[in-house]
Amino acid sequence: MIGRLANALSLVAVLAVPALGQTGPQLPLPAPTPYRASSGRPGHAYWQQRLDYRITATLDTATHELRGRELIRYTNNSPDALSYLWMFLEQNICSRSGITEKLDQPPLMFLGSTFDFSCKEFDGGVTLEHVRIGGQELRPAIYGTTMRIDLPRPLASGRMLDLDIAWRFTVPPYGAGRMGRDGSLYQIAQWYPRLAVYDDVRGWNHDPYIGAGEFYLEYGSFDVSLTLPSNYTVAATGTLRNPELVLTPEQRSRLAGARSATEPVPIITSVEAGKVGTPARTATWRFTADSVRDFAFAAGSQLRWDASAYGKVLIHTLYRPSAPEWEEANRMVRDALQYFSEQWYPYPYSHITSVEGPIEGMEYPMLTFDPRAPSREERQWVLAHELGHQWMPMIVGSNERLYPWMDEGFNTFIDLAGAARYFAGTAYGDSIEVHPLHLYQDHAIPGEEQPLITRPVEVKDLFWTGYQKPALMMQTCAMRCWEGSASMPRSAPTYGHGPINIQRRPISSVSCAMHRGWIWTGTGEIGCSPRPGSIRRWTLSAGLRTAKRFFCRTGAPCCCRSKWISHTGTARESESGCRWRCGIRDPNSRFGSDRPRKSVVS
Ligand SMILES: [Zn+2]
């Protein structure tokens, strides 16, 4: 569907005048090293650590206690000897006696709503039963949601060690908005002690989890065995390895049929939901995954389950009988999976599973938690948005704790085009892609607007700064962008921390821009400009603030001018034609004046 987006945008990109050779300010860049070029690209000696987790855990659905033991193999591929390790104990965000509880965090506003990153008075936290290396008991230092383990002896470069940790915690009903339980449904994430990232940029990335920032984790493998009452159905990151022990012959037969189905096949029907298995017995579900940076799961005893396929990828949607609207969810996820795979990069994992429940929208490898959502538009948006995170950050591995705009912004950009495709021919579908532009005037307030790179714990308007502003930036880039440019580099770019690099597509504005370094190190200006000179400056770096607010008269022609300055000082400018008008729906245009919808949160 890139042609659709490109064609639509070409309607307005009638004045695309590159101005190569102009000079702009030189931006300070770090000196190159063997590990990383000054542009940020990996160098010839680039390295990543590796983690291999083997976890066994049991969920007691009577007490809501999750108890587990994990063996972690940590491989030090860095050139440094490590005398200590940093780990995360994210469940400690729910500890009323922890340091996180003592922080006086300002509320995080998101499109008029306040994010609640607390556990709503629930007093939880993780209890460590033992932490061992080579049979030796260790006494880690715990700081809220982080933990430092001083090693008996430094871990030399190229060597590995095995950690043995046993732990337990009570699953909170509301786990800071990112995990929790509701009745017999459990949506479990941030649940096992895991290593922080050690990288060549910052060393240990042990910025604490205090709610607002999401995650930055090492890649590796998982082998996870989960024991629950046998009337529970479990969905998880990874491939189910023992279906013969946990699924009925009927379910296995239906799943086999779903592998060639483009329409959803009921695996557990509405009549069967809640009538599978017996609570008096337990069953152990075993999943394995490779090249992922996290593992999450959901379990419920009352779930419906639909499945279909896109190529070799199974699409699972699980939902409670109280959410019959989710009968369309499987089609929505499949459509977005196809679109993102064909547009950006083929989905590399064996399945994608979306589970309806109390979490308003969270993404984990191969698994998303999504709300019931009251309308088709919101349901499609949240399902596609959380799916879109499989590409960013799950595949590219960006640092969400520090840079939410990288995953949320790119993701919003691709979601807008995905929603326009799914709802094509409707008022919503034909106007959704202009929503970031309409948001611009309300959110880009001089003196208050923050740079894209603002950390989540400091951001005042995450909806704009982390989601819509970067999406609008990429839309303007796509308008004129380097489409068909003879100077486009032919080599594939490398982006991110992940094991899979998103390859440059022939006409891919984002990867094109990323490859050229124009987004990462440049500055840009955009104006919805009824008169010359009324332009706005993108605030990409901390030193750049909005210079001027643009006021657009209703009905005035609305043009977009963009200017990008690379780290070498080269500038490019473009200006769109005036094919839409401020604040007015043009029945002949795909751009309208609908107000933006409140959409997904994370
Ligand atoms: Zn998101």
Side-chain angles (χ1 to χ4, degrees):
M1 287 306 293
I2 189 159
R4 177 186 176 82
L5 176 59
N7 290 339
L9 293 170
S10 68
L11 292 175
V12 296
V14 295
L15 291 174
V17 185
L20 283 170
Q22 294 184 15
T23 58
Q26 291 284 331
L27 298 175
L29 291 171
T33 71
Y35 313 114
R36 198 174 290 272
S38 58
S39 68
R41 242 181 265 164
H44 70 271
Y46 180 72
W47 52 269
Q48 289 180 17
Q49 307 295 64
R50 180 174 176 90
L51 279 161
D52 298 290
Y53 290 88
R54 198 141 50 90
I55 305 173
T56 56
T58 299
L59 178 61
D60 184 333
T61 55
T63 63
H64 312 300
E65 184 183 73
L66 186 59
R67 179 185 291 266
R69 183 172 180 179
E70 62 191 45
L71 301 174
I72 309 172
R73 173 155 291 184
Y74 185 86
T75 305
N76 180 17
N77 293 321
S78 83
D80 310 318
L82 302 178
S83 57
Y84 53 84
L85 306 175
W86 278 102
M87 296 188 70
F88 288 113
L89 302 173
E90 279 110 341
Q91 280 303 312
N92 280 351
I93 198 171
C94 293
S95 169
R96 303 297 303 278
S97 60
I99 190 171
T100 306
E101 183 71 16
K102 297 182 176 67
L103 290 173
D104 185 20
Q105 295 183 76
L108 195 150
M109 300 302 295
F110 191 89
L111 198 59
S113 301
T114 303
F115 265 153
D116 186 350
F117 289 124
S118 75
C119 295
K120 295 187 175 177
E121 307 298 318
F122 179 82
D123 192 5
V126 65
T127 299
L128 296 176
E129 294 178 344
H130 69 243
V131 178
R132 297 174 186 150
I133 295 178
Q136 181 180 345
E137 202 83 30
L138 304 176
R139 291 180 175 275
I142 297 173
Y143 307 94
T145 54
T146 64
M147 171 170 79
R148 175 174 148 155
I149 300 175
D150 291 321
L151 301 175
R153 63 192 64 81
L155 179 62
S157 174
R159 304 298 295 270
M160 62 182 69
L161 61 74
D162 293 325
L163 277 163
D164 174 358
I165 303 177
W167 45 266
R168 59 185 160 82
F169 69 90
T170 303
V171 178
Y174 182 85
R178 305 195 188 281
M179 55 85 67
R181 58 182 162 86
D182 182 18
S184 65
L185 176 64
Y186 294 81
Q187 292 181 311
I188 305 295
Q190 299 96 47
W191 59 287
Y192 58 94
R194 65 256 191 101
L195 268 295
V197 171
Y198 185 79
D199 67 21
D200 63 296
V201 177
R202 302 175 76 230
W204 283 109
N205 289 263
H206 58 105
D207 311 81
Y209 173 53
I210 58 175
E214 294 187 318
F215 308 100
Y216 181 41
L217 298 164
E218 299 281 17
Y219 283 87
S221 68
F222 287 83
D223 187 335
V224 179
S225 295
L226 302 167
T227 300
L228 299 94
S230 67
N231 62 327
Y232 274 68
T233 299
V234 181
T237 300
T239 302
L240 178 62
R241 291 299 177 191
N242 59 345
E244 70 283 359
L245 297 181
V246 294
L247 301 180
T248 66
E250 185 72 36
Q251 289 169 349
R252 297 200 300 274
S253 170
R254 292 170 180 172
L255 266 178
R259 289 191 178 280
S260 57
T262 56
E263 287 293 312
V265 173
I267 309 302
I268 298 177
T269 67
S270 58
V271 174
E272 295 163 346
K275 297 172 184 166
V276 180
T278 165
R281 296 180 182 169
T282 60
T284 298
W285 299 61
R286 180 172 172 243
F287 298 88
T288 64
D290 198 7
S291 297
V292 293
R293 63 180 214 167
D294 198 356
F295 187 102
F297 69 95
S301 62
Q302 307 281 330
L303 293 173
R304 297 177 62 177
W305 177 1
D306 296 336
S308 65
Y310 168 69
K312 294 183 178 178
V313 182
L314 273 173
I315 298 124
H316 303 292
T317 41
L318 289 86
Y319 51 103
R320 294 169 291 186
S322 56
E325 308 91 335
W326 265 58
E327 289 173 3
E328 190 186 359
N330 200 281
R331 292 186 189 91
M332 290 172 166
V333 177
R334 188 182 183 282
D335 183 85
L337 181 76
Q338 177 177 356
Y339 171 63
F340 295 155
S341 290
E342 294 175 358
Q343 170 79 17
W344 299 105
Y345 186 86
Y347 182 77
Y349 302 119
S350 62
H351 72 87
I352 178 67
T353 299
S354 304
V355 182
E356 179 269 337
I359 307 304
E360 286 296 313
M362 263 308 289
E363 67 279 10
Y364 301 98
M366 302 183 227
L367 184 68
T368 71
F369 299 157
D370 308 270
R372 177 181 178 181
S375 72
R376 284 186 73 222
E377 290 86 353
E378 285 173 290
R379 208 154 46 249
Q380 188 276 339
W381 182 270
V382 72
L383 285 163
H385 178 86
E386 305 310 340
L387 168 68
H389 278 306
Q390 299 302 317
W391 283 261
M392 292 155 290
M394 299 307 165
I395 293 175
V396 302
S398 58
N399 185 342
E400 301 173 285
R401 182 67 43 91
L402 298 183
Y403 309 119
W405 78 272
M406 286 188 181
D407 67 299
E408 301 296 357
F410 283 126
N411 191 12
T412 300
F413 171 68
I414 67 176
D415 301 336
L416 289 162
R421 161 192 159 114
Y422 194 81
F423 291 103
T426 68
Y428 172 79
D430 291 347
S431 65
I432 182 67
E433 286 184 275
V434 82
H435 283 178
L437 184 64
H438 286 171
L439 287 160
Y440 180 76
Q441 294 182 66
D442 289 340
H443 290 262
I445 301 171
E448 294 185 17
E449 189 180 13
Q450 293 175 296
L452 294 184
I453 60 169
T454 305
R455 298 184 181 201
V457 293
E458 297 169 338
V459 73
K460 292 182 286 190
D461 184 358
L462 181 64
F463 174 71
W464 175 246
T465 308
Y467 291 69
Q468 301 293 331
K469 180 159 81 166
L472 177 57
M473 179 181 74
M474 283 173 254
Q475 285 184 325
T476 60
C477 176
M479 273 181 201
R480 77 149 266 42
C481 201
W482 301 272
E483 186 177 327
S485 166
S487 63
M488 254 171 74
R490 298 195 178 282
S491 60
T494 54
Y495 165 49
H497 179 76
I500 303 163
N501 293 316
I502 287 190
Q503 302 293 310
R504 179 173 62 83
R505 293 300 188 191
I507 305 173
S508 166
S509 57
V510 172
S511 57
C512 155
M514 286 194 300
H515 184 81
R516 300 178 67 91
W518 292 67
I519 287 178
W520 304 115
T521 55
T523 62
E525 293 170 336
I526 178 178
C528 178
S529 172
R531 58 187 183 277
S534 178
I535 57 175
R536 290 290 305 269
R537 181 181 292 276
W538 285 108
T539 48
L540 282 166
S541 67
L544 292 171
R545 296 284 170 182
T546 301
K548 187 175 180 182
R549 185 175 187 188
F550 166 71
F551 294 96
C552 183
R553 282 182 295 111
T554 299
C558 188
C559 317
C560 274
R561 183 181 179 196
S562 60
K563 179 178 180 181
W564 303 90
I565 305 171
S566 78
H567 60 82
T568 61
T570 305
R572 277 191 169 197
E573 290 185 71
S574 67
E575 186 166 321
S576 73
C578 301
R579 291 299 299 259
W580 72 85
R581 291 178 181 276
C582 294
I584 293 180
R585 171 182 293 282
D586 179 353
N588 299 315
S589 166
R590 58 186 289 104
F591 301 111
S593 60
D594 289 355
R595 301 302 301 168
R597 310 187 64 81
K598 179 178 178 181
S599 56
V600 295
V601 296
S602 41

